[in-house]
Amino acid sequence: MGTVALTTDQVLRWRLHRQHLAAASTAHGAPAGTAGSTGTAGSADVVAVTAVVAVVERLAGVQAQVPSAAELAVALRTGPGAPAALRTAHAEGRLLRTWAQRGTLHLLDPRTAADALALIGSARTWEKPAWVREFGATPAQVAQLVEAVGELLDGTVLTREELTAALAADPRFAPLAGQLASGWGTLLKPLAWQGVLCHAPAPGGRAAFTHPAARSPDWPGLPPVDQAGPRLLAAYLGAYGPAGLDRFDAWLSRNNLRKAVLKGFAAALGDRLTDVTVDGAPALALTEHLDDLAATPSAPSAPRVHLLGPYEQYVLGPGTKATEILPAAHRTAVSRTAGRIAPLLLVDGRITGTWEQDGPTVTVTPFDRPPPGTALRAAAERLAAATATPGLTARVAAPTA
C-alpha cells in the first residue's frame, strides 16, 4: 500500500474529535457535560471523576502550572463540575500533579506520568555543565537528594518549607537551601523526573510534596525507557497526530532526547505506525486511526468556532511553532512573555485570534477577519455552560493585522 495522503483540514477536524472538542465527542463513553455534579457522594460523582480522568489520559496530561487553566481545559470537554472532579481525582490518586512535559507542572494519570518521567529523566539534563553552573548542584548532590527526599517523603506529606528545612539541616544540602525553597522548583524537578517526588493536596494553598507511591495506589514505578517510549509516543499520536518524532520530542522534553532513541521508539511500535503525508509533508500516524482520518471530511458543513482557555493542550501538544494551526506571523500573540499562552480563538481548528474575559463579556481579538457571528455565539454559549457563567456574551474587537 502506498503512503496515505491526508489534508491539514482532515487532521485538524480529527484532532478536535480526539481531544473531545467536537460536538459529539465523548470521554471513554462519558459525553461532554457529565462532570456536572459537585456533590460528595453518589454515582454522578463517580461518572464525573471518571470523565475528567479519561480526558486527562486522552490528552496525555494537562498543563497545570495555572490550576484554573487546567480546570477550564477539562471543563470545556466535560462540563462545569470539572474543577471539583479534578480535585477529587487528585485527592484519590487517580491523577498526579508533577513536573513533567517541558519541565512544567501537569496533571497526569499515574501510568502516563511514569512513562513521561522515565523519558524526561533519561535525558539527565541536571548533569549538563550549563545546568550545574546555573543552579549550583552537582550530579552527585542531585543523586544524594534523590535518596534523601525519597526517604523523607516515604508515606508522608511535607510542605515546601518543611521539606526545605529538613534538607537544609543536612550539611550536604545546606548550601542549596535557597534553590530548594524557590517557587520555581528547579532543584526539585530532577527528583520528580526520577520518581521520588510529586505534589500533594495541601491546606491553605501551600505547595506540598509526597512520594508518588504514597499519592496513588496505581503508581507503577518508573518503567524502562524502551517500554515507556513506545507507549507515550502512541499516546501522543492518539491526541496530536499525525506528527513527526521531532514534534513529539519538543512536546515532551524540548528536544533533549537523542534522535536514535526516538527512532527506536517508532521501530518498536512496528506496524502499529504508518507513514502518511499531510498536505505533502511526511508524518507518522497510528495505523488504528487511518480509517477515521481518511473518513474525516476536509470541509465542515458550517464554520465551527471554539473559545479555548490559556495554556490549552490543543496548541501545547503540537507546539506554538506548528504553522498548520498557528500562522508564524501571529505566534507572539499566543506565545507571550514568561511562557504565558493566551486564550485561543479557533475557526475550523485553526487559531485565528485570542480572547479575554471581563465579567460577563468575552472580547475576541481576531488576527484578521472576524469569526462568523452565529458560530461565535455558539462558542460563547459552550464557554458559559462549561464555566457555569450565565449571560456570557462575546464582542469582537478590531483585528490585530
Side-chain angles (χ1 to χ4, degrees), residues 7-381:
T7 68
T8 296
D9 288 330
Q10 284 178 299
V11 167
L12 298 187
R13 294 192 70 197
W14 180 84
R15 286 183 193 168
L16 288 170
H17 175 74
R18 289 291 297 176
Q19 295 179 36
H20 304 303
L21 288 168
S25 65
T26 63
H28 288 214
T34 55
S37 171
T38 57
T40 58
S43 60
D45 288 353
V46 174
V47 171
V49 173
T50 299
V52 300
V53 171
V55 164
V56 172
E57 184 175 359
R58 171 63 62 82
L59 297 175
V62 173
Q63 186 162 316
Q65 201 89 2
V66 178
S68 61
E71 292 169 357
L72 178 56
V74 178
L76 284 166
R77 293 163 167 88
T78 59
L86 285 170
R87 288 191 293 271
T88 298
H90 187 212
E92 294 177 350
R94 296 182 63 180
L95 294 176
L96 296 176
R97 186 170 185 253
T98 191
W99 286 290
Q101 288 94 314
R102 305 175 305 284
T104 59
L105 282 172
H106 276 66
L107 284 170
L108 306 107
D109 66 278
R111 193 188 78 165
T112 302
D115 287 345
L117 296 175
L119 296 180
I120 297 167
S122 73
R124 305 193 73 80
T125 53
W126 61 89
E127 294 181 353
K128 296 181 178 180
W131 192 96
V132 174
R133 287 193 302 270
E134 179 73 17
F135 303 113
T138 66
Q141 285 175 310
V142 173
Q144 292 168 346
L145 280 169
V146 169
E147 182 178 358
V149 170
E151 293 176 357
L152 285 168
L153 296 179
D154 184 14
T156 192
V157 174
L158 297 177
T159 65
R160 187 191 304 275
E161 294 77 13
E162 292 168 338
L163 180 60
T164 299
L167 290 171
D170 187 324
R172 296 176 298 173
F173 310 129
L176 304 176
Q179 284 282 14
L180 289 166
S182 168
W184 293 105
T186 305
L187 288 190
L188 300 182
K189 291 179 183 182
L191 313 186
W193 300 335
Q194 295 177 79
V196 300
L197 173 149
C198 68
H199 280 64
R206 295 180 298 167
F209 305 101
T210 190
H211 194 286
R215 182 91 292 277
S216 174
D218 298 324
W219 172 248
L222 296 185
V225 168
D226 61 356
Q227 295 177 18
R231 276 198 302 260
L232 194 61
L233 175 58
Y236 176 82
L237 292 174
Y240 310 109
L245 294 174
D246 56 340
R247 187 169 285 187
F248 165 70
D249 190 22
W251 164 80
L252 177 65
S253 73
R254 300 188 193 274
N255 296 114
N256 274 305
L257 297 181
R258 292 185 294 112
K259 293 187 185 300
V261 172
L262 294 166
K263 289 179 180 178
F265 299 160
L269 287 171
D271 59 10
R272 289 191 62 197
L273 287 186
T274 296
D275 291 313
V276 301
T277 62
V278 181
D279 286 341
L284 295 171
L286 290 177
T287 305
E288 66 194 81
H289 294 150
L290 290 181
D291 288 345
D292 283 346
L293 279 161
T296 301
S298 287
S301 56
R304 176 80 170 176
V305 173
H306 290 85
L307 294 172
L308 304 182
Y311 304 97
E312 166 59 45
Q313 290 303 127
Y314 183 81
V315 68
L316 292 176
T320 58
K321 293 181 180 178
T323 54
E324 76 271 17
I325 60 170
L326 177 59
H330 300 296
R331 181 171 179 254
T332 56
V334 171
S335 182
R336 299 178 177 176
T337 57
R340 292 180 301 129
I341 302 296
L344 308 176
L345 166 68
L346 265 62
V347 178
D348 294 334
R350 290 176 169 82
I351 301 170
T352 63
T354 61
W355 61 271
E356 58 184 20
Q357 183 175 349
D358 183 9
T361 302
V362 170
T363 300
V364 171
T365 303
F367 297 147
D368 40 55
R369 294 190 301 273
T374 300
L376 177 60
R377 286 191 291 273
E381 290 172 0

Side-chain angles (χ1 to χ4, degrees), residues 371-396:
T374 300
L376 177 60
R377 286 191 291 273
E381 290 172 0
R382 292 194 298 273
L383 178 63
T387 58
T389 309
L392 196 67
T393 60
R395 60 175 293 269
V396 180

